[in-house]
C-alpha cells in the first residue's frame, strides 16, 4: 500500500500546472481514482501535479442558458449549488450516487470524467446533456464534445499534455425531463449497468430523446436508438427502444455479472430512466 | 485470470509480406503499445521490456518472447512469459496467415493469456475489457501498418 | 445500589476507539525500530526455481533479507494445534517462508527488513523469483478426485482427514422413510475482513534473552505458546502483548508465519522489527472462512417428523492446516447436526481437503453456521415436499423444554433450552398467518414475497478442558481472572481472555462492581498482556463471558470472602453474623455496625489490623473450567420481496429472538446480535471470495469483495427470552456468534420461499442479483 516514490508538485496556478504536465506525470485533484492505483503500484508516475486547490478550476457559473463547471469542483459543491440543481436536477441526483460522503467531499467532477472509468455514473449524464469539455495545454485550448471524449476503458480524447479545465453544459431543451437508473455492484458501488435519459416534449409529443449507458460496455456511450421516440408520445415505444438501444452491444463480463445479465440490466435501466424522464417532462 | 481473445483482420498485403513483418521484431515492436526495448537473443528468442496499460494504469513487464512452430509463410506460435513486481503474465498466441487472392491476406490470431498477482486480484472488474482492447488494437494496427508498408 | 448486572450502560471502550485514541499493534513505536515487508507468491502452485534477493539486499535502507532457505533451520514450521483424533489427520510441514514449493497465492517467499516501511516495500520489487508452474486446484471436491494436482507429498489425494460422526441407524432410517430430500450445498468462501489488519512487532533483548511481541491476537497466551514452538525460545522468555485489537472474527486466533518471522529478525538483528499487513495482503494471507461443498440428505415421515440426516462434506483447508482448522468442520460442525431438533439418526462424513488457496480456519460461528444452514435449508425442502408449513415442521421436531439436559444423536448433551418459547416470542412479533395471506395475494399480482424462519441452537462457551483434550484441541478451555483490589478501593480484573470488540471491559466491570457494591467506574478490566494476566485461552467461540466472566465472578467472590473475614475481625463479630447489604458487611440486625468495601480494601492493603492467620492484600485468582458447553438458541424470521425482473432481493423485516441466558448488558447483547446478523446477511447476499481456475484470488480488494454497508442492510428487530445455563455461576450462554449462525439460512429460505411459485427450491449463496436472476431464467426456461 505504499506507492513508488514520486515528486509532488502543488500547482500555484493553471499556467504552472499546464507547464508541469506531460509524459510520466499524473494530475491529481481529489485523488480517489488515482491513489488506489498508486498504492497498488499499477501507476508509477515520476511526478504528481496537484490541481485540487486551483481556484481557477473551481466554481459553477451561469453561461448563456447553460452552465459552466470548473473541473476541480467537488461533488459536494455540485450538490450544494442551487442553480445547478434547478437547471440540471439530474446532476445532483447522480452525484448522490457517487461514492460516499468523504469521496464526495474531495472527489472532483473533472477528475472523475478524466479518469473515464467505464462504469462511472457521471459520463452518461454528460452524454445525454451533450456537454462540452474544455481541454487546455501549454499551447492553447480546445473543446471536445463529451460524445467524442470517451474512447475506451480509462481512455479519453485527451493528450498527455492536456488538462480538462471546464465542463460546459448547454441549456437543457425546453420541456425536458431527465432521469438516471442504475444497478450498483455491491462492493464497489460502480454500475453493473446504468442509463441516463433526457426527454423533451411539446404538446404531448417527444421533441428530443437522448439515452446513454454506463457499465455495460468498455466505455460509456450514447444510444442512437432513442431518436425513434421523437415524434411519438413515448409510452408504448419505450420498452422497444430500451431493447434496441443495447442490441448488438458487446457487454462487459466479470465475476459480478455476465454479459447476458448486464445487457438485461441495461435494458431495464434504460426503460426505467426513459419512463421517469418522460414523466418528469410531463 | 485466464483471458482468451481472437481476431482475423484482413491485410492489404500478400502472405509473404505479412510473414516477413511478423518475424521483423523491430517492426512488431514499433506497432506494439508501450514497448521500450527489444533485445534479440537469437532469431527465435527475444527479451522485451514493455509497459502495458490504459489511462492511469501502467505496469512495466519484462518479457521473454519465444517463437515456435514456425511454418513459413503460414503459421507461427508466439509465447511470452512476463514478470512485473507483484504480477505476472503468460501469453500464448497462435497466428495463421491465409492468402486472400490476388494480393491480400487474412491474419487469424488467437491469444490465451494468464494473468497473476496484483493485476489479477485488483483488476478483475476491468482487466478483461482493457486486455481485449489492447490485444485487438495491437493486431489491428499490425494489419494496417503492414498494409500501408506494402503499398 | 441498583444492580449493574442487566443494565445497558454504554461501552467504556468506545470513546477511545471512535476518537482515534486507542493503541493498536501498528501504533507501537520503539527506538531503533525496523520495518518488515513480505514478498508473496503470485502463483497458487509452483516449484520454486530461485528466489534471488541479491539486488534487494543492496537497496537503500535495507538491513536484511531472509528467504525460506535462510530461516528453515532457525525457525520451526507453523504448527497446527487442533489434532482431531480418529480421522487419520495429516498435517504436512508449513514452512514460515516457502522453501521448495508455493501452495497458494500469498505464500511467503522472502522477508525484507529495512529502516522504513517504504524502503522495505520498495525492495520487494527488486527480488527476482523463478517458478515452475504446477496446476492449481481450488475446489475442495475436485481436489479429491483422481488426477487432481497434489499439494503435499505426505498427503496423497489431498485429503487431510476423513472424520465421521454417527448416531442411531441412518441406513435404516433412510430405507424406511417415505420421504427423502437431497441437496448439494456450497458454503461460499468468506474473507473475515477485520477492520484492523494483522500486525506484529517483535523486540528481542539480547541482554536478557527476552522476546516481547505485540501481536493482533484474540488469544495472547496461545500466541505465546505458538511463538515458543516456532522460535524455539522457552515460553517464560516470551511476552505477548495484544494491545487494542480491531476485530478478529476468528482470523486473529491462528498462529501465522509473520509474527515468527519478525521475532526471528529481531533476534538476528538485535533491533525491534514491525510488520503490518495491508488490506490486499490481508485478503490473500489471513485465513478465510467456510468453503464447503456439501451433499446433504434428510428423511422423514409424511406428517413432518424428521427421522434422519446424512451428509458428505468436502471442507477446503487451503494450502496448509491452520492452527484450529481441523476442528472447525468436524467438532464444531458435525457434532451440531441435530440442531435444536430430535433427529434420532445422524451420519456425517467430512473430508478435510488441501487446495491451492489461502488457509481456511475459524470465522465467526466456525462450523456451526454451516451446520445450521444445511439443516435449516433441508427442513424447508422437506416441508415443501411433504406439503406442510415449515414453521409447523420445526415446531414438531424441536426438543421439548422439559427434556433438558438433552443428549442428541451426535453425542452432545445440551445444557438447557426453551426452543418453543423463543419461537412463540418471535411469532408474537410477526404475524405469520397475515404474511402468508399477503404472500398469496401478492403472488396473484405478480409480487414475490417470501418468509424464512430459523429455529437454531449452537454450541459455544468453549468449553470444558477435559473435552478439549478428548477432541484433540491443543490447549485447555478454562479461563482465568485475577481480581486485585487497590488500597483506595478501586479494582482491576486481569483476565485470561482477550476481548477485541465484544465489550467485556464494560460487562466484566459490571460483574465486579455488583459483587463489591462499588460504582462501575471503580473497576478496570485488563486483558492482552501475558505478563500481567493469568493463563487463559482467548476470545472466540462465544466463550469469553461464559468461561472468563465466570472466572471473574469466582475471583471476586473469593475476594469478598476474604473481605468478610477482615470485616468480622474489625467488627469483632462472627462471620456468620455478618450480612452483605448496601455495599458493606454489617452485623445482622445492626446495619450501623458495618464496614464498607472501601474500608476493607484499605485495611487489607495496609494490614494494620488483620485477623490472625490472614495474609495482607486483597486479591484472588480464579481458573474457571465449565462443566459443559453452553447452548444458546433462538428464532430468526426474515421477510423479503424479490424483484424477478432484476433478481434483486429486498429485505422487508428482520426479527431476531435470541436466548443467551441472563444478560449482563442488554445493549451490548443487541450490538452483538446486530453485528452478527449483518455479517450473516453479507454471507447470504453478497460476500464471496472468488478464485479463478489458476488459483488467483479475483476478489482481492474491497472493490470486488462485498462487505455489507450500512446502507445495504435492514433494521434488525431484536428480542430475547432468558433461559439460564446451569453450567456456570452467571447462567450466561454467549451471544457473539448467534447472528452469523441464524441469519444465513433465514435469508436464503425466505428468498427460496418467495421464488417457490417458479419451481425454485434452492439457490447457492450468496444470493446476488445475478445469481437470483440466473436461477429465475433457468426455472422459466425449464417451464417452457
Amino acid at each position: 500500500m505504499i506507492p513508488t516514490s514520486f515528486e509532488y508538485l502543488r500547482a500555484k496556478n493553471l499556467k504552472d500546472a499546464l507547464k508541469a504536465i506531460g509524459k510520466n506525470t499524473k494530475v491529481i485533484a481529489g485523488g480517489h481514482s488515482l491513489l488506489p492505483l498508486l498504492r497498488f503500484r499499477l501507476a508509477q508516475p515520476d511526478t504528481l501535479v496537484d490541481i485540487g486547490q486551483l481556484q481557477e478550476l473551481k466554481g459553477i457559473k451561469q453561461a448563456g442558458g447553460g452552465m459552466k463547471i470548473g473541473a476541480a469542483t467537488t461533488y459536494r459543491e455540485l450538490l450544494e449549488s442551487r442553480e445547478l440543481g434547478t437547471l440540471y436536477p439530474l446532476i445532483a441526483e447522480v452525484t448522490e450516487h457517487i461514492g460516499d460522503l468523504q469521496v464526495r467531499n474531495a472527489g472532483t467532477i473533472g477528475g472523475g470524467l478524466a479518469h473515464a472509468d467505464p462504469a462511472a455514473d457521471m459520463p452518461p449524464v454528460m452524454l445525454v446533456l451533450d456537454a462540452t469539455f474544455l481541454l487546455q495545454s501549454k499551447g492553447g485550448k480546445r473543446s471536445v464534445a463529451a460524445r467524442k471524449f470517451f474512447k475506451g476503458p480509462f481512455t479519453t480524447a485527451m493528450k498527455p499534455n492536456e488538462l480538462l479545465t471546464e465542463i460546459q453544459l448547454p441549456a437543457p431543451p425546453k420541456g425536458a425531463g431527465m432521469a438516471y437508473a442504475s444497478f450498483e455492484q455491491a462492493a464497489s458501488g460502480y454500475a453493473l449497468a446504468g442509463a441516463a435519459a433526457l426527454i423533451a416534449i411539446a404538446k404531448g409529443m417527444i421533441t428530443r430523446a437522448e439515452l446513454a449507458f454506463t457499465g455495460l460496455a468498455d466505455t460509456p456511450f450514447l444510444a442512437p436508438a432513442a431518436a425513434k421516440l421523437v415524434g411519438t408520445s413515448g409510452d408504448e415505444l419505450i420498452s422497444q427502444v430500451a431493447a434496441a438501444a443495447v442490441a448488438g452491444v458487446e457487454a462487459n463480463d466479470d465475476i459480478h455479472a455476465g454479459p447476458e445479465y448486464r445487457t438485461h440490466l441495461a435494458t431495464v435501466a434504460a426503460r426505467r430512466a426513459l419512463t421517469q424522464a418522460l414523466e418528469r417532462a410531463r | 485470470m485466464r483471458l482468451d481473445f481472437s481476431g482475423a483482420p484482413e491485410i492489404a498485403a500478400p502472405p509473404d509480406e505479412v510473414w516477413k513483418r511478423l518475424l521483423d521484431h523491430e517492426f512488431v515492436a514499433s506497432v506494439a503499445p508501450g514497448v521500450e526495448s527489444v533485445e534479440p537473443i537469437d532469431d527465435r528468442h527475444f527479451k522485451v521490456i514493455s509497459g502495458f496499460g490504459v489511462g492511469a494504469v501502467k505496469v512495466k513487464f519484462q518479457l521473454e518472447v519465444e517463437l515456435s512452430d514456425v511454418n513459413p509463410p503460414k503459421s507461427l506460435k508466439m509465447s511470452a512469459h512476463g514478470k512485473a513486481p507483484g504480477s505476472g503474465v503468460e501469453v500464448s498466441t497462435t497466428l495463421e496467415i491465409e492468402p486472400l487472392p490476388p494480393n491480400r491476406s487474412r491474419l487469424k490470431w488467437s491469444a490465451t493469456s494468464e494473468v497473476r498477482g496484483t493485476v489479477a486480484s485488483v483488476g478483475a472488474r476491468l482487466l478483461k475489457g482493457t486486455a481485449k482492447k489492447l490485444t485487438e488494437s495491437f493486431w489491428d494496427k499490425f494489419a494496417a501498418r503492414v498494409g500501408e508498408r506494402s503499398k | 445500589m441498583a444492580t449493574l448486572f442487566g443494565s445497558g450502560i454504554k461501552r467504556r471502550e468506545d470513546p477511545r476507539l471512535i476518537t482515534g485514541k486507542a493503541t493498536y499493534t501498528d501504533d507501537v513505536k520503539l527506538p531503533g525500530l525496523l520495518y518488515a515487508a513480505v514478498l508473496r507468491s503470485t502463483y497458487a502452485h509452483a516449484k520454486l526455481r530461485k528466489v534471488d534477493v541479491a539486488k534487494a539486499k543492496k537497496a537503500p535502507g535495507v538491513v536484511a533479507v531472509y528467504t525460506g532457505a535462510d530461516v528453515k533451520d532457525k525457525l520451526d514450521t507453523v504448527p497446527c494445534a487442533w489434532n482431531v483424533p480418529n480421522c487419520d489427520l495429516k498435517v504436512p510441514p508449513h514452512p514460515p517462508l516457502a522453501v521448495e514449493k508455493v501452495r497458494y497465492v500469498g505464500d511467503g517467499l522472502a522477508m525484507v527488513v529495512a529502516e522504513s516501511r517504504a524502503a522495505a516495500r520498495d525492495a520487494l520489487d527488486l527480488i527476482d523469483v523463478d517458478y515452475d508452474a504446477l496446476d492449481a486446484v481450488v475446489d475442495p471436491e475436485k481436489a479429491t478426485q483422481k488426477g487432481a494436482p497434489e499439494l503435499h507429498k505426505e498427503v496423497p489425494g489431498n485429503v487431510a482427514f476423513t472424520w465421521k460422526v454417527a448416531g442411531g441407524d441412518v441406513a435404516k432410517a433412510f430405507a424406511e422413510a417415505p420421504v427423502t430430500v437431497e441437496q448439494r450445498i456450497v458454503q461460499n468462501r468468506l474473507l473475515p475482513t477485520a477492520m484492523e489488519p494483522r500486525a506484529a512487532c517483535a523486540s528481542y533483548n539480547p541482554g536478557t534473552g527476552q522476546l516481547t511481541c505485540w501481536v493482533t491476537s484474540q488469544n495472547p497466551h496461545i500466541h505465546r505458546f505458538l511463538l515458543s514452538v516456532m522460535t524455539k525460545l522457552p515460553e517464560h522468555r516470551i511476552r505477548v502483548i495484544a494491545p487494542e485489537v480491531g476485530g478478529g472474527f476468528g482470523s486473529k486466533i491462528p498462529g501465522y508465519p509473520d509474527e515468527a518471522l519478525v521475532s526471528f529478525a529481531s533476534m538476528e538483528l538485535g533491533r525491534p522489527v514491525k510488520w503490518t499487513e495491508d488490506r490486499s495482503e490481508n485478503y490473500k494471507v489471513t485465513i478465510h472462512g467456510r468453503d464447503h461443498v456439501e451433499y446433504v440428505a434428510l428423511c422423514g415421515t409424511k406428517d413432518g417428523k424428521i427421522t434422519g440426516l446424512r451428509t458428505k462434506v468436502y471442507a477446503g483447508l487451503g494450502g496448509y492446516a491452520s492452527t484450529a482448522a481441523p476442528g472447525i468442520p468436524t467438532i464444531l460442525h458435525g457434532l451440531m447436526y441435530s440442531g435444536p431438533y430430535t433427529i434420532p439418526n445422524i451420519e456425517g462424513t467430512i473430508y478435510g481437503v488441501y487446495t491451492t488457496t489461502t488457509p481456511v480456519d475459524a470465522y465467526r460461528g466456525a462450523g456451526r453456521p454451516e451446520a445450521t444452514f444445511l439443516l435449516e435449508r433441508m427442513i424447508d425442502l422437506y416441508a415443501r415436499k411433504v406439503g406442510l408449513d415449515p414453521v409447523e415442521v420445526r415446531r414438531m421436531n424441536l426438543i421439548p423444554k422439559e427434556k433438558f439436559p438433552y443428549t442428541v444423536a451426535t453425542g452432545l448433551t445440551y445444557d438447557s433450552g426453551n426452543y418453543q418459547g423463543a419461537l412463540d416470542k418471535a411469532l408474537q412479533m410477526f404475524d405469520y398467518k397475515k404474511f402468508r395471506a399477503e404472500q398469496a395475494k401478492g403472488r396473484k399480482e405478480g409480487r414475490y414475497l417470501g418468509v424464512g424462519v430459523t429455529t437454531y441452537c449452537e454450541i459455544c462457551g468453549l468449553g470444558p478442558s477435559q473435552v478439549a483434550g478428548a477432541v484433540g484441541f491443543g490447549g485447555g478451555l478454562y479461563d482465568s481472572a485475577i481480581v486485585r483490589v487497590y488500597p483506595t478501593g478501586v479494582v482491576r480484573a486481569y483476565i485470561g481472555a482477550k476481548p477485541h470488540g465484544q465489550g467485556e471491559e464494560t460487562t466484566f466491570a459490571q460483574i465486579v462492581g455488583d459483587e463489591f457494591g462499588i460504582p462501575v467506574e471503580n473497576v478496570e478490566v485488563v486483558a492482552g498482556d501475558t505478563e500481567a494476566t493469568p493463563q487463559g485461552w482467548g476470545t472466540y467461540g462465544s466463550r469469553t463471558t461464559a468461561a472468563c466472566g465466570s472466572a471473574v465472578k469466582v475471583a471476586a467472590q473469593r475476594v469478598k470472602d476474604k473481605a468478610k473475614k477482615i470485616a468480622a475481625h474489625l467488627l469483632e463479630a462472627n462471620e456468620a453474623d455478618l450480612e452483605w447489604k448496601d455495599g458493606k458487611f454489617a452485623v445482622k440486625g445492626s446495619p450501623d455496625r458495618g464496614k464498607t468495601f472501601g474500608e476493607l480494601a484499605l485495611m487489607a492493603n495496609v494490614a494494620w489490623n488483620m485477623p490472625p492467620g490472614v495474609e495482607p492484600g486483597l486479591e484472588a485468582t480464579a481458573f474457571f473450567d465449565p462443566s459443559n458447553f453452553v447452548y444458546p438458541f433462538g428464532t430468526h424470521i426474515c421477510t423479503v420481496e424479490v424483484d424477478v425482473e432484476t433478481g434483486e432481493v429486498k429485505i422487508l423485516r428482520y426479527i431476531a429472538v435470541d436466548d443467551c441466558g441472563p444478560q449482563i448488558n442488554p445493549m451490548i447483547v443487541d450490538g452483538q446480535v446486530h453485528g452478527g446478523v449483518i455479517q450473516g446477511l453479507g454471507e447470504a447476499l453478497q460476500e464471496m471470495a472468488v478464485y479463478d481456475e489458476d488459483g488467483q484470488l479475483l476478489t482481492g480488494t474491497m472493490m470486488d469483495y462485498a462487505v455489507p454497508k450500512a446502507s445495504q442492510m435492514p433494521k434488525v428487530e431484536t428480542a430475547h427470552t432468558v433461559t439460564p445455563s446451569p453450567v456456570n455461576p452467571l447462567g450466561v450462554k454467549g451471544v457473539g456468534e448467534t447472528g452469523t449462525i441464524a441469519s444465513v439460512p433465514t435469508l436464503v429460505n425466505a428468498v427460496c420461499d418467495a421464488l417457490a411459485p417458479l419451481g425454485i427450491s434452492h439457490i447457492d449463496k450468496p444470493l446476488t442479483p445475478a445469481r437470483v436472476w440466473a436461477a429465475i431464467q433457468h426455472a422459466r426456461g425449464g417451464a417452457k
Side-chain angles (χ1 to χ4, degrees):
Chain A
M1 282 287 110
I2 296 173
T4 49
S5 60
F6 53 79
E7 296 294 321
Y8 172 81
L9 183 97
R10 178 174 287 189
K12 288 187 207 74
N13 49 47
L14 180 57
K15 206 174 142 198
D16 202 25
L18 293 176
K19 215 157 58 181
I21 62 175
K23 211 173 170 239
N24 295 331
T25 64
K26 283 305 300 177
V27 175
I28 186 166
H32 287 92
S33 306
L34 185 60
L35 276 172
L37 298 178
L38 291 176
R39 288 172 171 274
F40 285 120
R41 301 193 168 203
L42 292 175
Q44 305 189 354
D46 297 334
T47 307
L48 273 195
V49 182
D50 191 341
I51 59 162
Q53 309 300 316
L54 293 183
Q55 289 309 312
E56 298 157 81
L57 299 182
K58 283 185 173 289
I60 299 164
K61 285 176 288 201
Q62 304 267 6
M67 297 192 97
K68 291 178 172 179
I69 304 171
T73 305
T74 65
Y75 294 119
R76 184 191 176 129
E77 287 160 349
L78 297 183
L79 286 171
E80 283 174 350
S81 163
R82 198 169 296 169
E83 296 89 339
L84 188 76
T86 308
L87 203 53
Y88 309 97
L90 183 58
I91 291 183
E93 222 175 284
V94 168
T95 302
E96 280 177 355
H97 276 257
I98 296 172
D100 52 27
L101 193 67
Q102 289 96 324
V103 168
R104 293 191 293 271
N105 280 345
T108 65
I109 182 170
L113 292 170
H115 187 61
D117 190 303
D121 294 314
M122 196 59 85
V125 175
M126 294 294 123
L127 294 176
V128 297
L129 293 176
D130 199 12
T132 298
F133 299 154
L134 185 63
L135 309 181
Q136 294 195 47
S137 65
K138 224 170 24 182
K141 54 177 82 171
R142 65 182 177 123
S143 293
V144 174
R147 295 174 181 187
K148 295 194 167 169
F149 184 75
F150 301 105
K151 297 289 187 191
F154 307 102
T155 310
T156 69
M158 278 198 292
K159 296 185 185 118
N161 66 343
E162 283 181 322
L163 194 62
L164 169 59
T165 55
E166 191 173 77
I167 291 103
Q168 300 166 344
L169 300 167
K174 264 195 189 151
M178 312 168 196
Y180 180 68
S182 77
F183 297 94
E184 287 184 3
Q185 194 247 88
S188 69
Y190 278 94
L192 291 174
L198 180 152
I199 289 183
I201 54 171
K203 293 176 190 154
M205 298 302 266
I206 293 174
T207 54
R208 196 169 141 196
E210 308 278 7
L211 175 66
F213 290 96
T214 190
L216 177 62
D218 67 354
T219 183
F221 67 96
L222 194 74
K228 286 183 200 154
L229 291 169
V230 175
T232 77
S233 63
D235 301 299
E236 65 279 6
L237 255 184
I238 281 179
S239 290
Q240 278 180 41
V241 166
V246 299
V249 173
E250 197 177 335
N252 289 337
D253 178 12
D254 65 17
I255 57 173
H256 303 291
E260 199 191 343
Y261 182 55
R262 261 205 166 79
T263 305
H264 170 72
L265 286 183
T267 318
V268 176
R271 195 192 71 220
R272 290 181 184 176
L274 286 168
T275 305
Q276 196 176 24
L278 182 59
E279 279 166 16
R280 286 174 175 175
R282 285 168 180 161
Chain B
M1 194 179 188
R2 296 266 174 99
L3 304 165
D4 294 306
F5 308 119
S6 59
E10 242 184 82
I11 303 180
D16 283 343
E17 185 78 11
V18 176
W19 183 258
K20 200 177 87 192
R21 293 299 185 187
L22 265 182
L23 294 187
D24 177 350
H25 68 262
E26 281 175 15
F27 178 80
V28 173
S30 74
V31 176
V35 170
E36 290 182 12
S37 69
V38 182
E39 183 194 332
I41 308 299
D42 56 40
D43 61 351
R44 295 285 179 267
H45 297 87
F46 306 88
K47 277 194 171 174
V48 179
I49 295 179
S50 181
F52 290 97
V54 289
V57 178
K58 196 170 187 186
V59 183
K60 196 185 278 187
F61 279 91
Q62 293 183 338
L63 296 147
E64 287 167 17
V65 180
E66 183 188 26
L67 306 181
S68 60
D69 300 347
V70 180
N71 182 15
K74 284 183 184 150
S75 64
L76 171 67
K77 199 173 155 190
M78 196 186 284
S79 317
H81 166 78
K83 285 202 267 195
S87 297
V89 64
E90 317 284 332
V91 187
S92 173
T93 308
T94 56
L95 295 151
E96 279 178 55
I97 305 169
E98 261 180 26
L100 289 178
N103 240 342
R104 299 169 68 85
S105 325
R106 183 182 301 285
L107 178 66
K108 289 168 85 172
W109 62 268
S110 73
T112 300
S113 315
E114 187 192 321
V115 184
R116 299 190 316 276
T118 309
V119 172
S121 67
V122 171
R125 184 170 72 90
L126 307 156
L127 191 59
K128 206 165 178 175
T130 308
K132 183 172 191 296
K133 189 180 165 73
L134 283 172
T135 314
E136 285 177 352
S137 67
F138 165 62
W139 289 112
D140 288 348
K141 196 168 165 192
F142 175 86
R145 285 281 181 83
V146 174
E148 283 165 24
R149 295 287 176 96
S150 154
K151 270 173 201 164
Chain C
M1 176 179 279
T3 143
L4 292 167
F5 197 111
S7 160
I9 58 171
K10 285 186 182 170
R11 284 164 36 111
R12 54 173 55 180
E13 296 90 332
D14 287 343
R16 68 171 189 270
L17 293 173
I18 60 180
T19 56
K21 293 192 177 84
T23 302
Y24 295 88
T25 298
D26 190 54
D27 294 320
V28 173
K29 289 186 180 69
L30 301 167
L33 185 62
L34 296 170
Y35 298 84
V38 179
L39 184 71
R40 307 282 178 188
S41 170
T42 60
Y43 279 89
H45 196 200
K47 280 188 179 156
L48 279 179
R49 233 189 297 156
K50 93 174 176 200
V51 181
D52 182 352
V53 299
K55 265 195 209 161
K57 276 186 170 166
K58 286 183 212 143
V62 170
V63 175
V65 184
Y66 303 109
T67 65
D70 298 327
V71 303
K72 77 173 168 31
D73 295 328
K74 298 187 174 171
L75 278 180
D76 212 330
T77 52
V78 186
C80 171
W82 196 338
N83 295 302
V84 176
N86 307 321
C87 65
D88 192 21
L89 175 64
K90 297 182 189 78
V91 178
H94 177 187
L97 289 171
V99 182
E100 289 167 1
K101 255 182 114 175
V102 291
R103 294 182 175 89
Y104 67 96
V105 171
D107 213 348
L109 295 168
M111 187 175 74
V112 174
V113 182
E115 298 287 349
S116 72
R117 189 167 280 173
R121 173 64 188 86
D122 281 346
L124 292 186
D125 288 353
L126 302 174
I127 299 174
D128 191 18
V129 185
D130 275 345
Y131 306 85
D132 280 326
L134 297 166
D135 285 341
V137 60
V138 302
D139 178 300
E141 184 182 10
K142 286 185 186 152
T144 63
Q145 287 163 359
K146 220 177 158 187
E150 284 181 354
L151 277 81
H152 301 274
K153 61 179 187 296
E154 302 87 344
V155 192
N158 299 316
V159 176
F161 60 80
T162 305
W163 184 87
K164 285 183 195 270
V165 57
D169 189 340
V170 165
K172 188 160 168 268
F174 276 88
E176 290 176 355
V179 184
T180 299
V181 283
E182 296 183 9
Q183 183 62 50
R184 180 182 191 268
I185 290 170
V186 178
Q187 306 275 3
N188 36 322
R189 180 184 272 259
L190 303 174
L191 308 178
T193 319
M195 196 181 286
E196 179 208 22
R198 282 187 305 117
C201 177
S203 179
Y204 180 74
N205 182 332
T208 62
Q210 293 272 352
L211 172 73
T212 304
C213 192
W214 288 260
V215 194
T216 46
S217 172
Q218 298 177 221
N219 29 247
H221 297 90
I222 292 180
H223 272 106
R224 181 178 64 186
F225 167 74
L226 295 171
L227 266 179
S228 169
V229 172
M230 289 190 275
T231 61
K232 305 178 190 179
L233 278 176
E235 212 180 344
H236 66 297
R237 295 249 176 84
I238 300 174
R239 175 183 185 183
V240 169
I241 303 173
E244 206 78 69
V245 175
F249 310 118
S251 72
K252 292 168 184 170
I253 298 170
Y256 292 88
D258 312 289
E259 58 262 20
L261 288 167
V262 290
S263 297
F264 162 79
S266 181
M267 289 161 72
E268 290 282 307
L269 301 169
R271 290 174 68 179
V273 182
K274 182 163 77 179
W275 165 85
T276 302
E277 210 175 41
D278 58 39
R279 180 60 63 192
S280 45
E281 199 175 14
N282 175 267
Y283 273 7
K284 282 201 277 278
V285 181
T286 291
I287 59 106
H288 295 176
R290 316 281 189 259
D291 197 32
H292 288 190
V293 175
E294 304 169 338
Y295 292 85
V296 193
L298 181 143
C299 66
T301 65
K302 282 183 185 162
D303 53 4
K305 193 72 194 155
I306 302 165
T307 56
L309 178 80
R310 190 173 55 211
T311 74
K312 183 170 70 176
V313 173
Y314 298 91
L317 299 178
Y320 303 97
S322 177
T323 307
I328 309 304
T330 54
I331 309 301
L332 292 180
H333 172 76
L335 293 183
M336 281 310 293
Y337 277 164
S338 195
Y341 310 108
T342 56
I343 305 178
N345 307 292
I346 290 174
E347 187 182 287
T349 305
I350 285 105
Y351 302 101
V353 185
Y354 293 113
T355 60
T356 56
T357 60
T358 301
V360 177
D361 205 325
Y363 170 66
R364 198 170 187 178
R368 292 151 289 163
E370 297 92 317
T372 300
F373 183 83
L374 71 81
L375 187 55
E376 292 299 302
R377 199 72 273 285
M378 296 312 288
I379 291 177
D380 264 29
L381 292 175
Y382 169 63
R384 196 187 285 193
K385 191 156 180 183
V386 294
L388 292 172
D389 183 274
V391 173
E392 283 320 303
V393 170
R394 284 177 171 80
R395 190 184 288 282
M396 200 182 305
N397 288 281
L398 289 175
I399 301 165
K401 70 174 178 189
E402 59 278 6
K403 293 261 174 111
F404 289 91
Y406 182 87
T407 301
V408 292
T410 60
L412 294 173
T413 300
Y414 295 177
D415 60 341
S416 63
N418 179 3
Y419 303 157
Q420 293 83 355
L423 176 59
D424 289 343
K425 181 141 195 177
L427 292 173
Q428 281 162 19
M429 297 167 71
F430 173 74
D431 192 336
Y432 185 74
K433 267 193 189 151
K434 190 174 155 210
F435 182 83
R436 285 292 184 200
E438 278 169 27
Q439 180 184 44
K441 185 165 164 273
R443 281 176 181 172
K444 285 182 196 142
E445 296 161 359
R447 290 180 68 195
Y448 291 81
L449 301 168
V451 58
V453 179
T454 293
T455 47
Y456 78 95
C457 78
E458 58 147 331
I459 180 170
C460 69
L462 319 179
S465 299
Q466 198 184 357
V467 177
V471 298
F473 185 79
L477 280 174
Y478 59 86
D479 224 288
S480 62
I482 299 169
V483 170
R484 180 172 295 157
V485 183
Y486 288 63
T488 51
V490 294
V491 182
R492 275 188 151 182
Y494 298 82
I495 62 169
K498 171 55 188 161
H500 48 280
Q502 297 83 354
E504 280 92 351
E505 263 182 64
T506 304
T507 54
F508 286 9
Q510 290 177 261
I511 295 172
V512 174
D514 263 356
E515 200 62 36
F516 298 154
I518 56 175
V520 72
E521 293 76 22
N522 288 9
V523 187
E524 261 192 24
V525 177
V526 180
D529 183 347
T530 58
E531 214 81 322
T533 59
Q535 176 72 39
W537 295 97
T539 289
Y540 45 81
S542 304
R543 69 183 299 276
T544 305
T545 305
C548 191
S550 297
V552 169
K553 170 85 177 169
V554 172
Q557 282 170 337
R558 285 179 188 163
V559 165
K560 204 165 153 188
D561 287 347
K562 181 171 178 179
K564 192 176 182 185
K565 282 192 172 61
I566 301 168
H569 174 71
L570 295 176
L571 295 166
E572 297 175 343
N574 277 326
E575 258 189 82
D577 294 334
L578 296 188
E579 63 177 354
W580 175 258
K581 214 176 163 191
D582 298 330
K584 58 185 178 187
F585 280 112
V587 179
K588 282 177 199 161
S590 342
D592 296 343
R593 281 188 67 205
K595 290 284 171 191
T596 64
F597 181 74
E599 289 170 317
L600 297 166
L602 181 63
M603 182 52 72
N605 278 287
V606 296
W608 292 336
N609 184 8
M610 294 290 279
V614 174
E615 292 171 7
L618 193 56
E619 68 175 68
T621 303
F623 291 84
F624 180 80
D625 204 347
S627 58
N628 189 4
F629 300 98
V630 291
Y631 294 83
F633 59 88
T635 297
H636 286 211
I637 300 178
C638 178
T639 55
V640 299
E641 177 161 8
V642 181
D643 181 339
V644 294
E645 183 176 34
T646 60
E648 291 169 302
V649 173
K650 186 179 169 197
I651 297 174
L652 305 173
R653 271 186 90 181
Y654 195 98
I655 293 161
V657 176
D658 297 288
D659 191 324
C660 58
Q663 297 175 15
I664 301 168
N665 185 321
M667 185 175 71
I668 291 179
V669 168
D670 273 352
Q672 288 292 309
V673 173
H674 289 162
V677 167
I678 299 307
Q679 210 160 358
L681 292 177
E683 169 178 346
L685 283 171
Q686 58 191 50
E687 286 188 54
M688 180 163 71
V690 179
Y691 280 100
D692 71 4
E693 62 199 285
D694 298 316
Q696 297 292 323
L697 179 65
L698 302 183
T699 48
T701 75
M702 287 175 139
M703 288 289 278
D704 290 297
Y705 186 78
V707 175
K709 299 171 191 169
S711 60
Q712 296 166 329
M713 289 293 140
K715 173 175 160 22
V716 178
E717 301 167 50
T718 58
H720 303 274
T721 56
V722 177
T723 308
S725 170
V727 309
N728 64 63
L730 298 166
V732 297
K733 290 198 164 196
V735 72
E737 295 160 301
T738 59
T740 53
I741 288 167
S743 63
V744 188
T746 311
L747 184 281
V748 173
N749 280 341
V751 172
C752 292
D753 180 53
L755 298 175
L758 299 173
I760 291 170
S761 57
H762 180 78
I763 308 173
D764 269 324
K765 62 195 167 74
L767 302 183
T768 61
R771 284 184 169 203
V772 173
W773 183 79
I776 293 167
Q777 296 311 107
H778 183 77
R780 284 183 168 160
K784 269 174 202 167

